[in-house]
Amino acid sequence: MKQYEIYMQKCFELARLAEGKTSPNPLVGCVVLNRNGEIISTGFHAKYGENHAERDALLKVSPKDTEGGTLIVNLEPCSHFGKTPPCADLIIEYGIKKVVIAIEDVNPLVAGNGIAKLKAAGIEVVTGVLADEARRLNEVFMTNIKEKRTFVALKTATTLDGKIATSSGHSKWITSSAAREEVKHIRAHYDAILTSSSTVIADNPTMRHKTKIILDRELKTDFENSEIYKSGNIYVFHNQKNASETIARAADEHIGLIYTPLKNDKLDIEFILKKLFELKIYSILVESGGILNGSFLPFADKIYHFIAPKITCDNSSKSAFAGKNITEINESLNFKFCEIQTFSPDILLTYYPVSA
Ligand code: AOF
Ligand code: ZN
């Protein structure tokens, strides 16, 4: 079993090579052993629409080599005709004797059918190897398919006292360049970055990324000069009637204006998330100030929190999460830590909400 865990880790590494490129498909890696237990091939699902991991690995070798061998993969092999024929059929064709899987596929077209097909062909199937890690690896895919909604991640960078800027808004830079480099990698894993008009106005970020989402209730950002409007696809959620008349540039091909109802005097986040899923934006990274972070926190699936070893000790510097008044500590939202990484001298804490 230990040996399978090592191969499964290898599958995760292979799968991660395609991070940010497979949406809305999962991240999948595969290792093939011959009958003597030696690795003879590896593969991964490199890009949406391309070969699945098992097909990628098997097509590099011949059935002569794989006869009686073992295939390790982090997701149940598929059983449906999609962009490619079923991986389960190819595994059977290649004479594989044993298949080791981390988790079942949640796609209703597959869910259990792939395993059933393999077993019906007399293949031994082992499941559940490093299942928790495998679920985390494909948390976006699983949320999309099971809950039919966009996965929401949130990133913040604070001092030890949880501050993101001084009271005047000064924040460059709280974290080191190593941490800021890592932020670029994190962004690449998500379909879009979401931010607020206040952040656009205060920081004038470029955010060169596939898709950008800006929450700008009163359409007060500078559409002509802000860096963010100069590249890529942009959706602006707002609450202004006759918006496109007021903002000529909004008629531009790459800016989509979306009228959004208000809820408690703010743009309705549930409405926005529903719209994003309809727009096939399957995962977002929220990068903003305390107020928007506070509003998104109840909807967040995951938080990336960089912490620099600095303390402002300032009464009025800005907090990473704001917008509420509570009196009892048990009114706080609760999270569970998942990982601590070091980007010296800073750390990155990754945590998940504890569902109520
Ligand atoms: C696998 N291995 O590497 C992947 C799988 O659109 P298609 O035809 O590529 O099919 C996508 C579905 O296939 C996806 O939703 C998931 O259920 C499965 N993806 N399966 O065995 C892979 N990428
Ligand atoms: Zn497949």
Side-chain angles (χ1 to χ4, degrees), residues 28 51-55 76-80 84-88 105 110:
V28 189
N51 278 344
H52 289 179
E54 305 90 313
R55 183 166 299 273
E76 173 183 7
C78 69
S79 51
H80 69 299
T84 50
C87 292
D105 195 346
V110 181

Side-chain angles (χ1 to χ4, degrees), residues 89-314:
D89 290 354
L90 195 68
I91 293 170
I92 296 165
E93 236 175 78
Y94 268 68
I96 295 286
K97 218 178 71 196
K98 186 171 186 174
V99 174
V100 179
I101 301 167
I103 50 172
E104 270 193 27
D105 195 346
V106 288
N107 182 349
L109 288 172
V110 181
N113 299 330
I115 292 175
K117 209 167 194 177
L118 296 172
K119 284 187 175 164
I123 295 174
E124 181 190 348
V125 180
V126 177
T127 54
V129 176
L130 299 184
D132 287 344
E133 271 181 79
R135 257 179 235 113
R136 264 205 303 281
L137 178 71
N138 274 311
E139 58 197 2
V140 170
F141 171 73
M142 314 238 333
T143 303
N144 294 162
I145 298 234
K146 274 167 69 178
E147 300 178 40
K148 298 197 172 23
R149 63 176 183 85
T150 297
F151 185 90
V152 179
L154 195 154
K155 172 247 140 190
T156 191
T158 74
T159 61
L160 282 169
D161 48 343
K163 306 297 188 179
I164 52 169
T166 63
S167 54
S168 66
H170 188 252
S171 63
K172 285 190 166 84
W173 296 106
I174 290 171
T175 47
S176 63
S177 58
R180 298 202 312 273
E181 256 330 284
E182 177 59 14
V183 172
K184 290 185 192 157
H185 294 140
I186 295 170
R187 282 181 187 149
H189 301 166
Y190 292 90
D191 284 350
I193 306 290
L194 183 146
T195 195
S196 68
S197 54
S198 318
T199 301
V200 172
I201 292 166
D203 298 346
N204 194 21
T206 35
M207 293 195 176
R208 282 196 193 85
H209 195 270
K210 297 169 232 179
T211 302
K212 287 161 277 231
I213 302 151
I214 300 161
L215 272 47
D216 187 358
R217 189 184 138 175
E218 294 165 4
L219 290 174
K220 59 182 184 203
T221 48
D222 182 346
F223 281 77
E224 295 296 329
N225 300 309
S226 307
E227 287 298 325
I228 204 157
Y229 292 116
K230 292 182 182 163
S231 67
N233 297 325
I234 303 185
Y235 293 100
V236 179
F237 287 85
H238 67 91
N239 183 256
Q240 292 296 101
K241 295 256 150 67
N242 307 321
S244 44
E245 284 167 32
T246 352
I247 292 164
R249 274 209 56 187
D252 267 25
E253 11 15 270
H254 70 289
I255 303 178
L257 289 174
I258 300 176
Y259 180 83
T260 310
L262 298 183
K263 190 173 181 186
N264 301 327
D265 224 27
K266 288 180 175 156
L267 293 175
D268 183 349
I269 292 180
E270 279 175 78
F271 174 93
I272 294 168
L273 292 177
K274 219 165 140 245
K275 260 291 181 273
L276 293 178
F277 197 65
E278 284 167 20
L279 290 166
K280 299 190 176 0
I281 295 172
Y282 296 115
S283 60
I284 57 166
L285 183 68
V286 178
E287 285 194 66
S288 193
I291 300 286
L292 196 69
N293 284 352
S295 304
F296 264 93
L297 213 44
F299 301 96
D301 293 295
K302 178 177 196 167
I303 290 109
Y304 298 95
H305 189 156
F306 289 88
I307 303 177
K310 296 183 170 85
I311 296 177
T312 72
C313 233
D314 182 49

